[in-house]
Each structure stands twice: as C-alpha cells, then as structure tokens.
Amino acid sequence: MEFFKIKRDIPFMRYGKLTTTISLVTFILAVLALGFKGLNLGIDFTGGILMEVSYPQTADLEAIRKTLEEERITEAAVQNFGTSRDVLIRLPLREDTGAKQSDEIFSALKAQNRAAELKRVEFVGPQVGKEMYESGGLALMLVAAGIMAYLAMRFAWRFAVAAMIANMHDIVIILGMFAFFEWEFTLSVLAGVLAILGYSVNESVVVFDRVRENFRKMRKAAVTEVIDNAITATMSRTIITHSMTQLMVLAMFFFGGDALHNFALALTIGIVFGIYSSVLVACPVVLALGVSRADLLLPEKEGLVDNRP
Amino acid sequence: MRNRFPLWKNLMVAAVLILGIIYALPNFFGEDPSVQLSAVRAAKVDDRLKVQVQSLLDAAGLKAKAVEMADKRMLVRFGDTDSQLKASDILNERLGDAYTVALNLAPSTPSWLRAFGAKPMYLGLDLRGGVHFLLQVDMDAAVKQAEDRYAEDARSLLRENKIRYQSVEKQNGVIQVRLPDSNTLSQAQVLLKRELRGLQIDVKGSENLIEGRLSEVERREIKRFAVAQNITTLRNRVNELGVAEPVIQQQGEDRIVVQLPGVQDTARAKEILGATATLEFRLVDNEHPVPAEGEKAPLGSHLYRDRQNRPVLLERKIIVTGDQVVDAASGIDQQSGAPAVYVTLNSVGAKKMGDITRENVGRAMAVVYIENKSETKEVGGQKVTTKKKVEEVINIATIRDRFSKRFQITGLDSTEEARNLALLLRAGALAAPVDIVEERTVGPSMGKENIDRGIKSNGYGFVAIAVFMILYYRAFGVFSVLALGANVLLLVAVLSLLQATLTLPGLAGIALTVGMAIDANVLINERIREELRAGSTPHAAIHAGYERAFSTILDSNVTTFVAGIALFLLGAGPVRGFALVLCIGILTSMFSAVLVSRALVNFTYGRQRKLVKIAV
C-alpha cells in the first residue's frame, strides 16, 4: 500500500506569497485573540481553589450553590463536569483564602448531602501560581534558545531563524486558539505547548535535512527547485508520522479522561499547524532569508563522499 | 553486499532487550495488601519483633504471606485486604505505642526478580490517591527571632561584663548599642566581636554607637536551619499519622513538600502538620516514691511517663522551657567520649538554669516534650474537634555542676539519639511557622480512574498505530511495530530502574513518545522505498535507508531532547514527570528504531545472498 506516489515535485515555493499571507492572517488573529481575550488561566497559574465532588445521583447544583452561600462563599463557580453527577467548584483567591477553606466547604456539602464524595482538591497559593507562570515563560524561551543554537550549529543561522519563526507561529496559534475559545490553560497544557515546540522543530529539521542533502546532490537546480523537491520527497513521511502521533493523541483525547483532555487538544492543534508551518512557513522564510548552496556546502568530508553503492 | 550485524551487535541488542524485560516486568505483578511497622524513636525493628508479630498473627489465626525487614521497617504481606485490616488492628493495639502501624500496598515482585534489584515504578499521588502539600517556611519570622536573640544576648553580655551602656535597640534588623563614652565603646566592641560571631559589627565612633547586622553567612545558616528543623518536626508528626511511604522533602530555598499517599482525612493531616510543640526542663522529684497505679501524685509533683511508658515523678516547677533554648547541637563529650547534646540558653533562661543547678548538684533533671494536638472526629455527621496534650519525658540526666548559658546533656544511648534530641530541642525552640501554599488531593477512586484511562488510551493508540503500520509497510511495518514495542519495554524498564514516580502526565508522556517514536521508523521505511524506486537492489536499499535516515533521526531527536531537558529543569512536579519520560523515550526510541528494527531486518533478510524482493 502506498498513498503518495508523487511523480513530479509540487511547486510549493510558487505559492509562497499565498501561504505567507495565510499564516500572517492566522498569526495576527491569534495575537488579537490573546490581546483582547487573554488566556483563560487555570488555578495552576492564578492561584485559587478547585474542588471536584461526585454524587451517586444527578447533582443538585442549586442546592450546592445555596449551601455555599450559607457558608458566605459568593464568588464560587459551580458547574457540571464530565457527567451530571460530577460537580466542579472553583473559588478565586482572596485575602483570607487558605488551604483550610476546602475542608470547610466539603464538610458543608457533606452535611447537605451525605453521599458527596470528594474526588480531588487543588489549592494553589498566589505566590506559587505566579512563580509557575514565570518559570513557564522562562522554559519557553530557554527551549527556543536551545533549539536555535543547535540548528545554527548543525545547519546555518538562516535555518535556525526560519525554524524558530515557524515554531513561534505554531505556539502563538495554539495560545490564540486557547484564548479565543476560552479553553482552560493549565500546567499540563503548558507542558503540551512546550512539547510541541520540540516536536514542530523536529518537523522543520526533517525538511531542512533534505534541503541540505539536495543542495549537495542537485548541483544545477535552482534554490526553489531544491526546496520543492525536499518537501515533496518528505511529504509521505510527514503525513504518516503526523497521523501516527495524532492517532496516539486522539486516543488520549477520547479515552484519557478530563485530566488529559486539554493537553491532547493543545497537541492536536500543534500537530496540525506543525505540518503546515514546517512546510509552508519555515521554507519560504529560509528562501526569503536568501539561503544558498554556499550556506551548506562546507568542506565536510561526508558532503563529498557519496557512499551509495 | 548483505545486511548482517556482527555477532557482538546482535548479542548487545539481545542483552539490552533481556535486561529490559527483567526490569520492566515488576510493573505487571500488582500489589500485596500489607501492614508496615516502623519504629517510633527508641524501639527497634529486629528479629525479636518478627517473632512477636508472628505469634500475634498466629494467635489471631491470620496467615501472612511474608514478613520482611528492610530499611528500619517491617513489612507484613497478606493475600487479601480483609486479613490486612484485621492484622493492622491487632498490631496497632498490641504494639501501637512503640511502632507506627500503617496500611500499605507493597509491590508483589517475586523474589527472583528482586534479586536483580528490579522494582516497579512508584505511582504518583494522582494515580493512587493522597494529598500533596507544599509548605512555605516563614523565613522572615526565623530571621527576626534570631535578631531578637542577638539583641538580648548583647544586653546580657554587656551586663555580665559590667560594661555600662545607654541602650540596646533593634531597628529595621539592625541591633544598635549606644554607649556613654569612647572608653566603653572600645570595650564593648571587643567583647561583642568576640562573643557574637554571627553579627557583622560596625562602629560609629562619633556617636558612640555600635551597629550589628546579621552576617550573610549567619543569615543563610538561620534559613538552612529553619528548614531542616521543620522537616524533622514534620517527619515526626507525619509518623503519627501512620502513613506508609510519606515524602517530606525540601523544595527550593524555603519550601517543604509533604506527600501523604492514601490519606483521605486531609483536615486531620493539616492539623497535625500545623501543631505546635515545646520542651520543658524539670527536676526529678526524688523525695517521694513513684505513686502506684491509680494513686495521686504528691503535692508539688506531677507524674509523667517516659518513652518506654515507665512512670517518672517530676517537680511541678519548671526550670526553663524550650522557648529559652537558643541552640542545640549534638556531639561527643570530650572527657568520656559519650554522645552529648550541647544546649545554649538565652540570658533569662541561663540565669534561672544557673541558679537552680548550683543548688541541686547531684540531682537528676528531665527534659519533657509537650505537643498540643487537636483531633477531629466525626460524630453523627458532625465534626468534633478535641484538643489533646501529649507530654513525654524524653531524657533524664544528672546535674554534675552548675550550668551556665551553655551546658551539655549526657546519658544518651547513642549518637543518633543525641542528634534527635538536639533537633527536638531546636525544633521546640524556634520552628519557624509554616503556611500551606499549595494543596492537591486526589481521591482513591479518581486515582484508579486515572490509571485505567491512561493505560487504556496508551493501549488503543498503540493498537491503532500497529494496524496501520503493518497494512502500510507490510514486513517492514511488522519490524517497526516490534521496534515500537521494544521502545515501550525499554522506556518502562529505564523508568523503573531510575525508580521514577509515574504520574498521569508521565503516562501522557509515554503515549506521546510512542507516537513520536514511530517517526524514526517511518523515515527509514520511506527511505528504503525511495531507494528501491531509484533502482537500488533490496540489500543496497535497506543499507542506504538506514544509513541516510540516521542523520535525520539524530537531528530531529536532539531538538526534541533539548526541549525535554528545558522542561525538566524548569518544570514543576507533574511537568517534570512528563519531561523525564519524553527525554528517556527519545533515547530508547533511537535505540529501538536504529538497532532493534535493523537487527530484525538483518535477521529476516540478511541470510539471503540473492534478495530479489522485500515487503515494504
């Protein structure tokens, strides 16, 4: 079985202007969503209390709200979570909010309905939340810097810059989608975003690798032809690899439960845009930066010896 | 040309896979319901206890699967939770004071596997239920206490040495000593510099003023101490909860992580962690006989019990309390070579201690440990909190001479005992207050659900990938799937070998790694197809496919690896688990894609000299 029997190279670079425009528009939309709506940060980053309580029958949300009001807790968000029997209670952080509050709330709920079962409690203090936010941002920058350094060393600075632009494009779009749809941004989503940073570069690297190889092999071809051929040749691998990863991520999305839901969602967006950006963002940028054969034709021995039998 | 590995390479691949199986295997054996016994302070876990436990169980007609000793703990395994619970009740009742009895789920790894040092991964709290607390130590309070102490010391030093001073004040963390003239100034300067080494002393001659600030070294030491003390105190308290395998660790400069697997009553856990403890020094009453059971203690005395539950009669009058202990360190007595604890009191305490000991040379003095605990019990749906005071004599020593500001306590059993007493004395004196800054509780049913879901999603994803790969790449698809299986096996083996804690993000990491690991196989298989299309012979195509794909695999994996390392270095708890799995997964996937699948290909096709067709 073979899906991709591409005889002639697809002229991806000819569409460069179009694809760049598309990316630019999505990118700007994502930035706007981030700017106007902002991320719906979970309590990992904002601090606060989150409780998941489960009941044997359908939970009476009104009764729960009333109980909370009796406890003089007014800012609580009470909602169903997953099933009608599971309830999620969220409390923003206030001056006097402490870890003990969750105990008081649960005792009150238990008094109201003895069958209430506490499934999980998360309390994060304001300082801890802030630190996570900061270390998350720092991690993002460090990963980006590390990857650029490696690419610059292994290829050429133009590739490093292009891969990073393509990557940032993916990250901003994931964040933009989370902002636009108001999906909750938690620590595990951040982990997903950081994983995508590595994963998406991975993608660009495979194409770049081919570009480098082609520069050595296709001595007479123009730069655009070299890139087009590289993309076409890796096309089938790109699609298959991503489908495989996506299969795994979908399994997490559907069977992994709520805890992995948003994590899988971030990965899905990352994978879809990762394919697009590695081909249609990274390559045009490399081209625009004026990549040439000279960038890669170092006097390396392996470049000259073709060990093809 | 033929594709064959030299013998050593085949052997290496086989050896790695066999080791992988051995170390991954313990994860599939499940757990035994067990009872864990750990010694409280002086008690010992030894063969005598083993015999005692056996006879207690025999008397109750309970049959233990095994009784093991390790790490100062005893583990009694059972076949079912029913006998586990019964045994726990019996042991708690009979041995409860000297030992902490905790329910535990011990991995039931067979002994032959354990002989290799193979252990299953440790499950994180999100996969088995429990509480995670992050406590912040109030460093400002600790530093402030230290400054107060130094101001107090400066005052009493000047008084003892008969140096006149106008005032000793503390302002914004600076201890200011005002003196009447330049003569007393220089005297005071010499004295304070010699005695208060933790202070950095500045002299303002024009104003006859000496300023002392805590030196950077001292400040660091105070903070380090505060955390160390609190950890010791917390450890003792957690022991009271009877939690199997608690984790109490320092995190960062001023935080402590406490993880209590299996704990459901978080209210009680919070109370115990936040309890206060103090110490008192009292004289032993040797005028009256120790009253018998049920009899009242004589006037002016109070009956206490020591750690072996023996009655001790002490005078009601307190010499000094733990609040007056400034410092305590364990060491060896210069003369006798016996373990000792060196105690430093503040000036008020020192004066009282000096007076009383001068009058009572030859008498015995006791150290009493007092803890105020509140216990919450559920009575008819309502939570009732009762306050409970625990008093215990932890040490009795004979007064040989008048005690001064610094004195030593001897008569201890071991250096370890001395160390513990020193820590307790310090903890009683200035355990800096702690706040809970983070709490995460996962109920046991949720933990089970998380495991099920995590494993299920991994399984379904793997099967889907396997089906597609085999349909799409035929024989080479089979090699890829086997290599992928080897990857999971090795990943689990390495994680078990590292004794990593498996969490839900870790399970997600395994899933993602599996998805990404297939990339290397796809790269290779696509390359081989491409070479075949270009007209290479099968053997040449296989060879070139692996060779050429390798540099791409290396490059793309290194970048992901870089991301993983950064995640590991900067991430907090759950993110770290994910990052660790990602990094190890990349390494194992490179090994399995490049070497294991190649070995399989070579094994299948390498023998045929004339290879006409390969199924790819």
Side-chain angles (χ1 to χ4, degrees):
Chain A
M1 188 165 35
E2 200 169 344
F3 297 150
F4 309 95
K5 281 195 172 153
I6 304 162
K7 288 272 150 35
R8 241 187 288 147
D9 291 350
I10 304 166
F12 288 102
M13 289 308 105
R14 201 186 295 158
Y15 311 129
K17 278 219 174 69
L18 178 71
T19 56
T20 313
T21 316
I22 296 174
S23 340
L24 218 58
V25 170
T26 40
F27 185 84
I28 289 168
L29 282 177
V31 171
L32 285 179
L34 273 172
F36 281 104
K37 286 195 145 174
L39 283 173
N40 174 18
L41 293 174
I43 66 152
D44 290 337
F45 300 111
T46 58
I49 297 182
L50 183 147
M51 295 174 76
E52 197 183 323
V53 186
S54 132
Y55 293 89
Q57 276 98 34
T58 302
D60 184 354
L61 295 187
E62 271 319 302
I64 294 170
R65 287 200 186 101
K66 226 176 130 208
T67 311
L68 291 178
E69 264 167 43
E70 278 162 18
E71 292 287 305
R72 271 170 292 152
I73 294 159
T74 46
E75 295 150 86
V78 182
Q79 63 189 91
N80 277 118
F81 182 65
T83 69
S84 65
R85 284 163 306 171
D86 293 320
V87 181
L88 197 69
I89 299 167
R90 261 168 225 276
L91 293 159
L93 209 62
R94 286 198 320 252
E95 288 275 304
D96 57 334
T97 311
K100 288 217 164 187
Q101 206 179 354
S102 60
D103 295 330
E104 287 160 21
I105 294 172
F106 185 64
S107 320
L109 291 178
K110 189 111 183 163
Q112 178 235 331
N113 186 343
R114 304 247 7 221
E117 188 203 343
L118 192 63
K119 291 188 89 177
R120 82 185 148 121
V121 174
E122 285 178 19
F123 159 76
V124 180
Q127 189 58 35
V128 180
K130 204 174 135 224
E131 277 165 28
M132 288 213 188
Y133 195 66
E134 280 159 8
S135 69
L138 193 63
L140 212 67
M141 308 235 281
L142 203 76
V143 173
I147 289 173
M148 273 185 84
Y150 178 75
L151 288 182
M153 192 185 77
R154 198 80 173 81
F155 294 92
W157 69 267
R158 289 188 176 91
F159 287 93
V161 171
M164 205 31 67
I165 290 175
N167 236 298
M168 283 305 150
H169 164 266
D170 298 348
I171 301 297
V172 170
I173 286 174
I174 300 178
L175 296 179
M177 298 263 273
F178 267 80
F180 184 79
F181 293 105
E182 294 178 2
W183 292 324
E184 193 185 8
F185 192 83
T186 59
L187 208 54
S188 66
V189 176
L190 177 69
V193 171
L194 286 163
I196 282 296
L197 199 47
Y199 181 80
S200 166
V201 165
N202 194 328
E203 225 10 72
S204 309
V205 166
V206 172
V207 178
F208 289 170
D209 226 59
R210 217 19 120 86
V211 172
R212 172 168 58 187
E213 195 184 318
N214 281 354
F215 268 131
R216 288 170 190 163
K217 225 164 48 186
M218 303 162 64
R219 303 242 159 201
K220 292 207 175 98
V223 177
T224 44
E225 279 169 22
V226 163
I227 295 178
D228 284 342
N229 177 272
I231 298 174
T232 311
T234 50
M235 201 65 209
S236 126
R237 171 261 157 205
T238 304
I239 304 289
I240 290 168
T241 296
H242 284 296
S243 323
M244 294 298 104
T245 314
Q246 188 60 57
L247 269 181
M248 214 65 204
V249 172
L250 279 180
M252 265 193 270
F253 187 85
F254 288 114
F255 307 109
D258 304 302
L260 294 182
H261 207 271
N262 278 4
F263 172 73
L265 196 61
L267 290 179
T268 300
I269 304 169
I271 290 169
V272 171
F273 279 91
I275 307 177
Y276 172 81
S277 72
S278 59
V279 172
L280 296 170
V281 177
C283 290
V285 171
V286 167
L287 200 60
L289 288 173
V291 74
S292 69
R293 187 167 280 119
D295 277 339
L296 294 165
L297 277 193
L298 306 166
E300 277 178 75
K301 271 181 242 139
E302 71 168 271
L304 300 171
V305 176
D306 192 345
N307 49 5
R308 198 179 266 242
Chain B
M1 98 145 269
R2 282 156 70 190
N3 286 294
R4 292 184 92 164
F5 268 170
L7 183 64
W8 68 268
K9 231 175 188 176
N10 278 325
L11 286 178
M12 183 189 74
V13 171
V16 169
L17 287 178
I18 288 168
L19 283 175
I21 291 171
I22 288 173
Y23 287 101
L25 215 48
N27 294 292
F28 302 101
F29 277 101
E31 290 162 322
D32 284 333
S34 323
V35 176
Q36 176 188 303
L37 290 170
S38 43
V40 175
R41 294 194 204 109
K44 283 201 177 71
V45 175
D46 53 12
D47 285 321
R48 257 186 55 213
L49 177 69
K50 195 170 170 175
V51 173
Q52 199 182 353
V53 167
Q54 286 284 15
S55 66
L56 281 171
L57 293 178
D58 285 344
L62 291 169
K63 202 159 159 46
K65 247 167 91 175
V67 181
E68 292 156 21
M69 284 188 293
D71 229 13
K72 294 183 188 169
R73 290 188 309 194
M74 181 177 280
L75 203 62
V76 191
R77 295 167 182 270
F78 294 95
D80 55 292
T81 43
D82 216 32
S83 22
Q84 176 204 22
L85 292 175
K86 272 186 204 149
S88 157
D89 286 344
I90 291 165
L91 294 177
N92 209 350
E93 192 184 314
R94 292 308 186 81
L95 307 167
D97 288 335
Y99 298 92
T100 306
V101 181
L103 295 178
N104 196 355
L105 280 173
S108 53
T109 311
S111 52
W112 63 270
L113 266 181
R114 267 183 278 163
F116 286 102
K119 286 180 204 151
M121 281 180 270
Y122 181 81
L123 291 185
L125 292 180
D126 54 352
L127 297 182
R128 61 169 165 175
V131 214
H132 161 107
F133 290 116
L134 185 63
L135 306 171
Q136 173 115 32
V137 182
D138 189 346
M139 289 301 182
D140 289 343
V143 169
K144 208 165 154 287
Q145 274 174 21
E147 284 165 0
D148 287 340
R149 230 161 44 220
Y150 271 111
E152 172 80 7
D153 283 354
R155 213 172 278 139
S156 65
L157 270 172
L158 292 172
R159 209 182 304 130
E160 277 168 27
N161 289 281
K162 305 214 163 61
I163 298 171
R164 270 188 314 121
Y165 62 89
Q166 285 180 332
S167 65
V168 177
E169 278 166 8
K170 213 190 79 185
Q171 252 174 12
N172 300 332
V174 183
I175 296 156
Q176 296 181 321
V177 182
R178 217 170 276 283
L179 297 139
D181 50 51
S182 57
N183 189 22
T184 46
L185 180 78
S186 56
Q187 281 180 353
Q189 185 190 347
V190 172
L191 178 72
L192 296 179
K193 254 203 175 133
R194 193 183 62 215
E195 292 291 322
L196 305 178
R197 286 179 190 275
L199 286 186
Q200 195 187 318
I201 305 242
D202 293 317
V203 180
K204 289 188 177 160
S206 56
E207 301 169 56
N208 288 335
L209 186 69
I210 297 178
E211 287 191 339
R213 285 181 186 80
L214 287 182
S215 66
E216 219 24 68
V217 180
E218 179 72 1
R219 205 174 274 270
R220 264 205 305 277
E221 189 64 10
I222 288 166
K223 291 183 176 176
R224 205 180 58 78
F225 241 52
V227 174
Q229 277 167 38
N230 279 337
I231 287 181
T232 312
T233 316
L234 289 172
R235 194 159 281 149
N236 287 335
R237 290 180 188 173
V238 165
N239 219 7
E240 296 265 311
L241 278 166
V243 178
E245 297 176 33
V247 174
I248 298 150
Q249 279 170 347
Q250 178 165 1
Q251 187 179 80
E253 213 185 17
D254 55 357
R255 294 203 177 131
I256 301 168
V257 174
V258 177
Q259 291 192 338
L260 310 173
V263 166
Q264 275 152 61
D265 193 348
T266 55
R268 185 167 136 74
K270 280 179 213 168
E271 274 162 17
I272 288 190
L273 293 181
T276 56
T278 51
L279 288 161
E280 288 171 2
F281 289 85
R282 289 166 192 263
L283 282 174
V284 173
D285 181 353
N286 46 12
E287 283 171 22
H288 305 92
V290 174
E293 199 80 36
E295 213 175 296
K296 271 180 90 177
L299 205 68
S301 292
H302 193 278
L303 188 65
Y304 288 87
R305 292 192 175 268
D306 69 4
R307 274 181 271 163
Q308 280 78 46
N309 207 26
R310 287 181 305 231
V312 183
L313 197 61
L314 301 184
E315 284 190 3
R316 224 171 247 285
K317 200 172 117 199
I318 301 169
I319 310 173
V320 292
T321 64
D323 298 349
Q324 285 151 328
V325 175
V326 170
D327 192 12
S330 60
I332 300 290
D333 180 27
Q334 298 277 326
Q335 281 160 12
S336 64
V341 175
Y342 298 90
V343 181
T344 310
L345 295 175
N346 66 9
S347 54
V348 181
K351 190 169 180 326
K352 276 174 85 180
M353 184 64 103
D355 290 348
I356 288 173
T357 48
R358 194 181 52 226
E359 292 157 17
N360 292 288
V361 172
R363 281 185 67 183
M365 187 181 72
V367 184
V368 186
Y369 177 74
I370 300 158
E371 198 178 331
N372 287 305
K373 290 196 286 195
S374 48
E375 268 180 7
T376 310
K377 274 193 187 130
E378 230 177 63
V379 183
Q382 284 278 314
K383 285 205 167 168
V384 180
T385 306
T386 46
K387 288 245 153 59
K388 198 175 140 196
K389 195 173 181 186
V390 177
E391 293 174 306
E392 190 182 47
V393 174
I394 53 174
N395 174 258
I396 296 176
T398 309
I399 301 167
R400 296 189 204 286
D401 202 351
R402 175 180 177 269
F403 284 9
S404 65
K405 186 176 167 59
R406 292 184 189 82
F407 62 92
Q408 59 175 359
I409 300 173
T410 48
L412 299 146
D413 291 342
S414 62
T415 46
E416 201 182 339
E417 170 115 52
R419 213 164 26 237
N420 280 343
L421 180 58
L423 275 165
L424 271 176
L425 283 165
R426 286 205 301 258
L430 55 64
V434 289
D435 286 323
I436 298 177
V437 288
E438 188 183 285
E439 180 205 340
R440 288 169 196 274
T441 308
V442 176
S445 63
M446 179 123 177
K448 270 206 189 75
E449 250 174 68
N450 282 345
I451 286 197
D452 282 354
R453 284 172 172 166
I455 290 174
K456 221 185 253 171
S457 61
N458 269 303
Y460 291 159
F462 191 94
V463 170
I465 289 181
V467 169
F468 178 84
M469 286 300 281
I470 293 171
L471 285 179
Y472 196 73
Y473 291 117
R474 294 185 289 163
F476 277 77
V478 175
F479 301 143
S480 301
V481 172
L482 289 174
L484 201 59
N487 175 32
V488 177
L489 179 81
L490 292 177
L491 179 56
V492 170
V494 173
L495 288 173
S496 308
L497 209 55
L498 292 177
Q499 281 292 285
T501 303
L502 187 67
T503 57
L504 194 59
L507 275 168
I510 295 179
L512 190 65
T513 316
V514 169
M516 285 164 62
I518 205 71
D519 181 40
N521 293 293
V522 172
L523 274 169
I524 293 167
N525 295 348
E526 286 291 322
R527 260 301 160 121
I528 294 174
R529 282 184 172 182
E530 210 177 305
E531 296 292 326
L532 285 173
R533 266 201 299 266
S536 302
T537 64
H539 269 311
I542 292 171
H543 184 78
Y546 276 92
E547 290 294 305
R548 274 146 203 270
F550 183 72
S551 94
T552 311
I553 294 171
L554 190 68
D555 276 338
S556 65
N557 278 330
V558 169
T559 52
T560 317
F561 198 71
V562 169
I565 298 258
L567 259 177
F568 185 76
L569 292 179
L570 288 166
V575 176
R576 276 192 109 146
F578 172 75
L580 181 72
V581 172
L582 198 64
C583 287
I584 296 170
I586 288 166
L587 298 178
T588 55
S589 87
M590 283 186 63
F591 177 85
S592 53
V594 176
L595 286 173
V596 176
S597 88
R598 185 81 192 268
L600 288 167
V601 171
N602 289 355
F603 190 73
T604 315
Y605 294 118
R607 272 171 294 195
Q608 302 172 36
R609 193 171 291 275
K610 271 224 159 80
L611 188 60
V612 191
K613 205 167 168 272
I614 48 175
V616 63

